[in-house]
Amino acid sequence: MVYPAASFPAARLRRTRRTPALRGLARENSLSVDDLIWPVFVRDGVGVEEPVPSMPGVYRRSVDKIVEAAKEAYDLGVQTICLFPYTDPAKKTADCAEAWNPDNLSNTATRALKAALPDMAVMTDVALDPYNITGQDGFDVDGYVVNDETVEALVKQAVSQAEAGADIIGPSDMMDGRIGDIREALEHGGHKNVCLMSYSAKYASAFYGPFRDAVGAAGALKGDKKTYQMDPLNTDEALRCIARDLDEGADMVMVKPGMPYLDVCRRAHETFGVPVMAYQVSGEYAMLQAAAQNGWLDGERVMLESLMCFKRAGCSGVLTYFAPAAAKIIGA
Ligand code: PBG
């Protein structure tokens, strides 16, 4: 028989949305605890847990407290932790030598974590800003951050992190050529299995504000980072950065910030088919937490939805301050 035209919708897409079971079958992506990397802030002292005012629920912790918090997170299924040091202003210098001090906060925390939780992956940050009196990620000469001299320092910093036991090294500085130089130093220094997760597509973003408070770089920072971080209006350039970093030996690449840059994540995933991570940065976290605290958004639901969106955009994983809270809900 011939149906009269338009007597029923050609496709009833609502059929597969009718029940949880049917929705489960139709679901294209999933979020698991394996996807989460937890960034944490380390400070000196013992037994210290100091709240970061612009990031409700986030603390600067002394090394002993980091280990304690990491154990809890690991028990919830979070397998990777990423360290950011809050350096005593008295240790900040123009030559940034604290960055490769084997006993600096980041290296001390790495050793403590690897001793307490050998199976948890420790990721460290390569950039000079926590150690620099000017708050820039590299050495500035007459207001310009110089590339090659900075890369030499970053290599020393990365090697000291590998020696402390870091599993993943994350250069967040955006200098040109640092991945290749760090990779070469790691190969020659007996660290051939250390992963490099390059902050390849890192934008000059206003969403980093609360992070700069957390690491104590906000007051120090003179000017902006636009001569090395990317212009928020570009995506072709992000692909060039990623291609270059992969060529130079990056194992994984990152897009940062996350939520406003999902288009970049998607293009990166489709173009390269390599592990792409997104960094849901401090400002994104602060924004969601602030709305949740005011009762304007359902905090738990927007947290999970925001993380699922990274998976839909093609990311393999996401750095998020929500990692333990999300793990508590999605389960190990
Ligand atoms: C700096 C660095 C920044 C972040 C991670 N590493 C800030 C910046 O570039 O000024 C931001 C992370 C966040 O906002 O959560 N090397």
Side-chain angles (χ1 to χ4, degrees), residues 107-126:
N107 291 334
T108 305
T110 299
R111 283 191 297 268
L113 283 165
K114 292 309 294 183
L117 293 158
D119 295 332
M120 185 172 220
V122 174
M123 173 169 166
T124 52
D125 185 65
V126 168

Side-chain angles (χ1 to χ4, degrees), residues 168-232:
I168 306 170
I169 290 179
S172 70
D173 53 281
M174 289 295 278
M175 297 301 116
D176 285 322
R178 89 279 206 217
I179 297 298
D181 284 9
I182 292 172
R183 176 56 80 206
E184 192 181 340
L186 292 177
E187 285 284 338
H188 292 147
H191 303 291
K192 62 184 173 194
N193 284 328
V194 171
C195 289
L196 287 179
M197 185 190 293
S198 181
Y199 288 61
S200 298
K202 176 172 176 179
Y203 289 85
S205 171
F207 284 98
Y208 308 149
F211 174 96
R212 292 180 190 167
D213 296 337
V215 297
L221 183 62
K222 295 192 180 75
D224 56 42
K225 301 191 177 183
K226 290 180 186 168
T227 71
Y228 48 103
Q229 298 181 349
M230 277 184 56
D231 185 330

Side-chain angles (χ1 to χ4, degrees), residues 15-163:
R15 283 189 198 114
T16 54
R17 297 180 199 139
R18 190 172 57 85
T19 69
L22 296 170
R23 288 196 291 276
L25 288 174
R27 189 160 297 134
E28 299 173 36
N29 293 290
S30 63
L31 174 70
S32 107
V33 285
D34 294 342
D35 305 323
L36 306 174
I37 299 175
W38 187 30
V40 295
F41 300 109
V42 198
R43 55 155 299 152
D44 55 7
V46 177
V48 186
E49 229 165 14
E50 174 184 41
V52 177
S54 50
M55 300 178 74
V58 170
Y59 301 85
R60 298 183 191 117
R61 296 177 169 92
S62 51
V63 172
D64 57 315
K65 286 285 179 184
I66 289 276
V67 171
E68 209 176 289
K71 278 186 186 150
E72 282 169 30
Y74 189 77
D75 286 342
L76 292 168
V78 177
Q79 296 188 77
T80 306
I81 194 165
C82 176
L83 300 171
F84 291 101
Y86 169 81
T87 307
D88 176 356
K91 292 190 172 154
K92 297 187 186 194
T93 56
D95 68 1
C96 306
E98 182 66 7
W100 50 93
N101 174 355
D103 296 318
N104 69 17
L105 271 175
S106 174
N107 291 334
T108 305
T110 299
R111 283 191 297 268
L113 283 165
K114 292 309 294 183
L117 293 158
D119 295 332
M120 185 172 220
V122 174
M123 173 169 166
T124 52
D125 185 65
V126 168
L128 301 182
D129 53 319
Y131 312 99
N132 197 347
I133 40 174
T134 66
Q136 293 287 358
D137 290 16
F139 298 125
D140 30 340
V141 177
D142 300 329
Y144 183 76
V145 171
V146 292
N147 196 85
D148 302 8
E149 296 80 350
T150 297
V151 171
E152 279 177 36
L154 299 174
V155 168
K156 288 192 268 183
Q157 182 182 20
V159 168
S160 89
Q161 293 173 354
E163 281 168 359

